[in-house]
Amino acid sequence: MHLDAPRKCLDSARLSDTARAKMNVIGVVSMKGGVGKTTLTANLAAAFDRRGHRVAVVDMDPQNGLAWHFADDNRNLPGIIQSALQGKGIGEGWAVPHTGIRIFPYGRSEEHERLAFEDLLRSRPQGLAARVARLSKRFDIVLVDSPPGHSIYLQQVLQAAHHLLAVLLPDLASLATVNDMEEVVAQTQARRPELRCHYLINQFEAGDPLAADLVNMLVTRFGSRLLPMMIHRDESVPEALAVHRVVRSYAPNSQAGRDLDLLTTRLERMFER
């Protein structure tokens, strides 16, 4: 496959001082799978939208799962991968009806397309950052979801984001990944000191003594970098996903919905600094 044209297109935009100053791009990341990262991204988008923000959501996870939270029939639509390989950047995405949210899905793909796209990303380390910088001028908030662990996608997100939201579960498996995340963040901040990393505990089980002990350990390690609110484990979250809805529309008075409101308020305050 000839990649010269899409390479030029992906890297043609350059980060402007205005886009950098806005500081409104959040990369949602994790070194471990199954922490609820994509579900959190979708629900944050909905929470920002309810407060009147225009929100762009960029799915850089090959699982292409983010669109599932908003509609079943859009998962098969072309996405970022198809647009990039055709020399069209990340594409135009699609609007979530009756909201200010625009989704840029990864796109359903075959293995050869994914491998070609990853080669394209390796050849242009700033490719996503340039495109996201353009989005940050059009939208109030830009959320970028990434697959778990080390990957070319994570490297792209690290270059594009102003804030990282690193999602952890209160369990030993997540605790074991903390050093890896800290190393990646430190390496990136050496080149991009403006990048900020905030840790968030998801699926906290109230009354679980082990979870409480692990939270205390994380507080000691991260201090103010660990966000003071947690997203509690709540059955309304998977139930909402099963019917392609976000938590607040499915269960307005749920614990997870209230937690998400607190998190959204905190993130809004960060953008005001």
Side-chain angles (χ1 to χ4, degrees), residues 132-160:
V132 167
R134 289 183 173 182
L135 290 180
S136 74
K137 297 178 182 179
R138 294 169 48 198
F139 294 88
D140 302 314
I141 308 289
V142 181
L143 295 166
V144 187
D145 188 28
S146 64
H150 295 280
S151 68
I152 186 60
Y153 302 103
L154 176 61
Q155 292 303 316
Q156 291 277 328
V157 173
L158 290 170
Q159 297 306 312

Side-chain angles (χ1 to χ4, degrees), residues 13-248:
R14 289 291 181 264
L15 298 179
S16 70
D17 292 339
T18 301
R20 280 296 191 195
K22 205 170 180 183
M23 300 292 285
N24 63 343
V25 180
I26 304 174
V28 186
V29 300
S30 176
M31 283 295 171
K32 176 183 177 296
V35 301
K37 176 179 49 56
T38 299
T39 297
L40 178 67
T41 303
N43 279 280
L44 270 178
F48 280 123
D49 172 67
R50 283 194 303 275
R51 298 185 182 205
H53 298 290
R54 296 166 301 164
V55 186
V57 191
V58 179
D59 187 358
M60 287 296 285
D61 188 337
Q63 293 186 62
N64 192 37
L66 198 144
W68 182 270
H69 294 75
F70 297 97
D72 183 25
D73 55 354
N74 286 327
R75 292 192 75 224
N76 293 324
L77 293 178
I80 293 170
I81 184 170
Q82 287 81 19
S83 296
L85 292 177
Q86 293 169 13
K88 299 177 181 178
I90 63 172
E92 294 301 317
W94 49 269
V96 178
H98 314 298
T99 74
I101 302 172
R102 180 166 287 272
I103 305 291
F104 295 81
Y106 182 90
R108 189 169 183 176
S109 61
E110 301 293 336
E111 183 177 7
H112 72 277
E113 293 176 303
R114 179 181 58 78
L115 293 174
F117 182 46
E118 291 173 2
D119 284 342
L120 172 57
L121 294 176
R122 290 187 188 93
S123 73
R124 291 294 183 263
Q126 293 288 335
L128 178 67
R131 292 294 168 177
V132 167
R134 289 183 173 182
L135 290 180
S136 74
K137 297 178 182 179
R138 294 169 48 198
F139 294 88
D140 302 314
I141 308 289
V142 181
L143 295 166
V144 187
D145 188 28
S146 64
H150 295 280
S151 68
I152 186 60
Y153 302 103
L154 176 61
Q155 292 303 316
Q156 291 277 328
V157 173
L158 290 170
Q159 297 306 312
H162 303 123
H163 298 270
L164 293 180
L165 189 59
V167 185
L168 300 168
L169 298 184
D171 63 18
L172 292 172
S174 277
L175 188 65
T177 68
V178 164
N179 286 340
D180 278 352
M181 179 59 72
E182 288 283 84
E183 182 178 352
V184 167
V185 171
Q187 290 172 352
T188 306
Q189 288 176 329
R191 301 184 301 271
R192 298 188 60 227
E194 72 275 18
L195 179 67
R196 296 291 178 263
C197 182
H198 319 277
Y199 288 88
L200 175 72
I201 296 172
N202 193 25
Q203 300 180 25
F204 177 73
E205 186 78 60
D208 181 341
L210 176 59
D213 288 344
L214 289 170
V215 168
N216 288 333
M217 293 174 64
L218 292 170
V219 169
T220 300
R221 172 148 190 179
F222 294 124
S224 62
R225 290 189 298 149
L226 182 67
L227 294 173
M229 71 290 299
M230 298 179 286
I231 310 299
H232 287 76
R233 184 181 296 278
D234 188 331
E235 287 306 312
S236 64
V237 175
E239 289 171 4
L241 175 58
V243 292
H244 314 294
R245 294 171 67 182
V246 292
V247 173
R248 262 304 193 177

